[in-house]
Amino acid sequence: MKLISLLLALAVSASPLSQAAPAKKPGKKNAHSRAKAGTRAEARAAAPPVAVPAAAQAGDPIVFSESEAVNAFADELALRNGFPRAELAALIGQIRYVDAAVQLVKPAPKGKPKNWQNYSRATIEPVRIKAGVAFWNQHAAVLARAQAEYGVPAEVIVGIIGVETIYGKNTGRFRVLDVLTTLAFAYPEAPNQAARMAFFRGELENALLLARKANIDPLSMLGSFAGAIGMPQFMPGSVLAYGVDYDNDGSIDLRNSAVDAIGSVASFLVQHGWQPKQSGPIVYPARVSDDRTWESFLNQGLAAKFRAEELRAGGVSSSAALPASQRYGLIDLPNGSDPTEYRIATDNFFAITQYNRSYFYAMSVIELGRAIRLSRAGQPLASGETL
């Protein structure tokens, strides 16, 4: 019997592997990624997908069916999840090494400074804004429902889906099993190589569990160069853990259902620290003193730790009033040789960074959502407006 028939017949439910925030979206997003990703990694989030032939390539550096490590892993999967071992072997024989995935996850070359203004111009641009207005208009009722039920503003959900895939335009054309297997067993040399390989092995297992749960051919799943799936670019483990059947059709389909994508993004954020009752903007404009005593507030992790009075005492102020009941963090947005910009960030800003561990990413989500909201209302972009 073919693997797919067996997968369709198996109704065993399975819990996803625990997915740590640093590993959510390699190169980006897990859902998710590295703290303050490099410029090259951030730019890749908006890059168009690269097609990779599914057929075997002559001279592939790895034939997975002949790999001792891959076969040992398959033994573990069979024991842990009840997959028939012979059928796993048949599947492995169809999985191909993808060199493009290896090249794309390599660290950015040193020496090129990060530049928030350049990054923001590439992501907060007319194509995404226009597509975002259309997406919001088409799904206004669902976005309003998600905002009411989860407490996540519609513009944040729209911003994330826009930055990730331009509302489904660029969801990726790599076979998910190909890239996950490649990165699980042929990750390029790097200081965190072992951890990354372990992460991708977990996601490879999650992909098979997801295929079984969804009753689909595992080789039919397409995604990014790192295995992220659908409009919101969830890793398989995130689909299992945070995906929502928001259109109530009996399945979670992040590739074809914008409704499921909307609900799943909101679900992810709430389960990663979004505070529905938090008042005020997500980020505030920041001014910093010349004495640089405030530098101790930087690089304090992806969490709001400081009270407004502590920031003020340390030389950080804002033109807007900061609610005294909340805590904040100071983030920096380098601009190459131009002056660095600073923002005062709330818990909800840091919830967005759990989707992709980059200040640039979170700011682009906020600014794109703001631009779409204003454009939809027929209002010009106002300099210095906060969300």
Side-chain angles (χ1 to χ4, degrees):
M1 184 183 294
K2 298 295 184 183
L3 175 65
I4 304 314
S5 298
L6 286 170
L7 292 178
L8 291 173
L10 288 169
V12 180
S13 63
S15 298
L17 296 181
S18 175
Q19 182 169 296
K24 289 170 185 174
K25 276 195 175 178
K28 296 174 63 175
K29 114 239 71 174
N30 230 312
H32 310 138
S33 47
R34 295 187 297 265
K36 298 196 70 181
T39 301
R40 180 183 175 207
E42 291 163 340
R44 285 198 298 259
V50 179
V52 175
Q57 300 296 305
D60 274 358
I62 295 179
V63 178
F64 292 120
S65 61
E66 299 175 3
S67 166
E68 290 185 7
V70 172
N71 282 297
F73 184 68
D75 291 340
E76 295 175 15
L77 291 182
L79 288 172
R80 189 158 51 235
N81 302 299
F83 292 119
R85 182 63 180 86
E87 303 306 330
L88 283 177
L91 178 62
I92 292 168
Q94 300 178 69
I95 295 175
R96 304 298 170 223
Y97 172 85
V98 182
D99 186 64
V102 173
Q103 300 306 318
L104 285 166
V105 299
K106 287 183 177 179
K110 295 181 180 180
K112 186 175 182 180
K114 297 174 65 175
N115 192 307
W116 159 243
Q117 289 298 328
N118 286 348
Y119 180 81
S120 63
R121 279 192 290 269
T123 50
I124 307 159
E125 42 81 36
V127 169
R128 276 188 172 83
I129 294 172
K130 181 178 179 181
V133 170
F135 181 86
W136 194 332
N137 287 340
Q138 182 178 357
H139 303 289
V142 178
L143 287 162
R145 173 185 156 207
Q147 180 167 321
E149 292 178 356
Y150 289 98
V152 179
E155 57 257 51
V156 172
I157 300 172
V158 172
I160 285 177
I161 298 174
V163 170
E164 291 291 340
T165 62
I166 316 182
Y167 310 99
K169 181 179 179 181
N170 294 335
T171 58
R173 292 179 288 165
F174 291 98
R175 292 199 313 188
V176 168
L177 291 196
D178 288 344
V179 294
L180 291 179
T181 305
T182 297
L183 297 175
F185 296 96
Y187 197 88
E189 185 175 348
N192 63 345
Q193 182 188 49
R196 301 307 290 158
M197 290 176 71
F199 166 71
F200 283 109
R201 290 185 191 193
E203 287 303 329
L204 177 57
E205 181 172 13
N206 286 331
L208 292 172
L209 294 172
L210 177 61
R212 180 166 69 184
K213 182 178 181 180
N215 291 335
I216 60 174
D217 177 350
L219 291 171
S220 72
M221 293 188 295
L222 302 179
S224 74
F225 67 85
I229 297 169
M231 295 182 195
Q233 292 289 274
F234 274 25
M235 294 299 287
S238 287
V239 179
L240 289 167
Y242 313 115
V244 176
D245 175 20
Y246 213 46
D247 59 12
N248 297 309
D249 70 350
S251 66
I252 299 170
D253 183 359
L254 301 186
R255 284 185 61 85
N256 302 301
S257 173
V259 177
D260 285 358
I262 289 167
S264 297
V265 168
S267 168
F268 180 95
L269 290 174
V270 167
Q271 294 187 65
H272 284 82
W274 185 273
Q275 302 295 315
K277 296 181 180 180
Q278 190 166 85
S279 62
I282 296 173
V283 291
Y284 292 82
R287 293 189 298 263
V288 293
S289 62
D290 294 335
D291 60 14
R292 306 190 71 84
T293 55
W294 43 267
E295 287 186 337
S296 61
F297 295 123
L298 295 173
N299 302 316
Q300 293 296 314
L302 301 180
K305 299 180 178 180
F306 307 103
R307 296 191 181 280
E309 60 191 38
E310 293 178 278
L311 293 177
R312 283 194 295 270
V316 181
S317 60
S318 177
S319 58
L322 304 180
S325 60
Q326 296 177 190
R327 292 185 182 270
Y328 306 92
L330 180 66
I331 65 167
D332 56 337
L333 303 171
N335 283 313
S337 59
D338 292 327
T340 296
E341 299 177 39
Y342 298 92
R343 302 286 190 277
I344 297 171
T346 65
D347 285 315
N348 287 343
F349 176 89
F350 291 113
I352 298 172
T353 66
Q354 299 303 316
Y355 202 104
N356 183 315
R357 292 181 150 242
S358 161
Y359 295 165
F360 281 18
Y361 176 87
M363 279 303 306
S364 68
V365 164
I366 292 167
E367 292 296 334
L368 178 62
R370 177 180 72 92
I372 292 168
R373 169 170 53 82
L374 292 174
S375 180
R376 184 169 180 260
Q379 300 175 19
L381 292 177
S383 176
E385 180 184 353
T386 57
L387 174 64

